[in-house]
Amino acid sequence: MIIQMKQAGWGVLLAALLTACTSESTDAPEGQAQSWHVSIPVDVTATRSVYSPDGGATLKSKWNDAQTVLAYNGETKVGDLTAAGNASGGSTTITGEISGTYTAGSSTLTLYSPSKDTDYTTQDGTVDGTNGISSKDYVTATVGVTAVDGSSGLLSTGNATFQRRQSFTKFTFSEAVHQVVISADGMNDITVTTASGNTTEFYVALPLEGAKLYTFVGTTDASVAYYGQKNGTLTYGKYYTASVDMLKELDVTASVSSWGDGGALPGEDLIY
């Protein structure tokens, strides 16, 4: 009789615990891991570069339709999001699902588009070509979590203001070449190859900030080599123009000149 009463008591206790767990899971309070739907407003900001109709004096921006945006919580990827297209540039909305545990007022998300990792090593010297600077336009933003509603699965954040992780320069070389290899301390060599023929104009995305000496080795489609150097002082998110004297001699120190912030050709803020 006593044993039966103990078993009944444990049964009641177990049922109560199961009921409590079920209720807690349904409510999914703040701080509990689950899947969350996010709709992140984006301020007028830097996104993908497009060629300007004014002849290339500036670069403008736009969001591609369903442009990829990756969400990270610290170093952990928590979701694949997409941005609504905005062909005229400016604001948009990023939506999708993320996982993880978040607390309003203290948690943050870091957003990367089109990817977290960057690769500038091969480019084609164009704006919108297959490997043009538009494909090298990497941006990032950090947003704070402002509200967590476990019952609806909605997570709210502040507005995202994206920043570029590179600058862009339109180089005009004194000699027409088919390929240019650009080197500088602190970055992997960038090989810029035209789709066909020789040209003097190359659009290039550069991942360095501050003052650097850049070396250019150009080769024509007939394998004639030219060399140039230029001091650049660059700031992320700006568009520059620069002329580079290309000579056949290896020692081109005498031809070095400057471009970028504080140089002969100041950087222009991008137009949105």
Side-chain angles (χ1 to χ4, degrees):
M1 186 68 177
I2 295 176
I3 293 177
Q4 289 177 343
M5 288 179 66
K6 287 184 177 180
Q7 288 177 337
W10 280 113
V12 171
L13 179 59
L14 180 60
L17 288 174
L18 288 173
T19 302
C21 290
T22 303
S23 175
E24 183 177 356
S25 177
T26 301
D27 293 342
E30 180 176 307
Q32 182 171 316
Q34 69 170 60
S35 179
W36 306 93
H37 180 77
V38 294
S39 180
I40 303 172
V42 178
D43 290 330
V44 175
T45 184
T47 57
R48 177 178 174 275
S49 303
V50 294
Y51 189 64
S52 171
D54 63 4
T58 60
L59 292 175
K60 295 184 179 181
S61 300
K62 73 176 182 181
W63 285 98
N64 289 328
D65 190 35
Q67 182 168 326
T68 299
V69 180
L70 306 182
Y72 278 75
N73 182 5
E75 291 301 313
T76 303
K77 182 182 174 184
V78 294
D80 293 297
L81 311 178
T82 57
N86 186 337
S88 60
S91 60
T92 186
T93 302
I94 295 170
T95 58
E97 307 295 322
I98 63 171
S99 60
T101 302
Y102 304 94
T103 302
S106 60
S107 297
T108 60
L109 291 172
T110 305
L111 308 175
Y112 299 93
S113 186
S115 69
K116 184 175 186 291
D117 298 323
T118 59
D119 181 9
Y120 304 93
T121 56
T122 58
Q123 302 183 39
D124 63 18
T126 67
V127 173
D128 274 328
T130 302
N131 220 9
I133 60 175
S134 292
S135 68
K136 307 299 179 182
D137 195 2
Y138 299 98
V139 296
T140 187
T142 299
V143 294
V145 175
T146 58
V148 179
D149 185 349
S151 60
S152 65
L154 297 177
L155 184 147
S156 301
T157 72
N159 289 15
T161 301
F162 281 87
Q163 303 295 325
R164 281 188 165 95
R165 289 183 272 170
Q166 66 287 308
S167 62
F168 306 100
T169 295
K170 177 186 177 182
F171 290 106
T172 301
F173 296 104
S174 62
E175 299 290 339
V177 293
H178 173 61
Q179 183 179 88
V180 177
V181 178
I182 305 174
S183 304
D185 185 34
M187 84 174 187
N188 294 325
D189 287 356
I190 296 175
T191 301
V192 189
T193 308
T194 65
S196 61
N198 300 321
T199 184
T200 59
E201 293 186 351
F202 288 77
Y203 290 88
V204 182
L206 294 169
L208 296 180
E209 283 196 299
K212 298 287 182 179
L213 175 63
Y214 293 83
T215 299
F216 306 86
V217 180
T219 308
T220 69
D221 54 9
S223 298
V224 178
Y226 293 92
Y227 305 87
Q229 286 185 316
K230 203 167 185 70
N231 290 306
T233 304
L234 308 180
T235 299
Y236 290 163
K238 287 192 174 182
Y239 168 67
Y240 304 91
T241 58
S243 298
V244 183
D245 290 331
M246 300 293 281
L247 308 173
K248 288 189 176 182
E249 294 81 8
L250 286 174
D251 184 7
V252 294
T253 304
S255 68
V256 173
S257 58
S258 299
W259 99 99
D261 301 330
L265 294 169
E268 299 177 20
D269 289 321
L270 296 171
I271 295 176
Y272 308 117

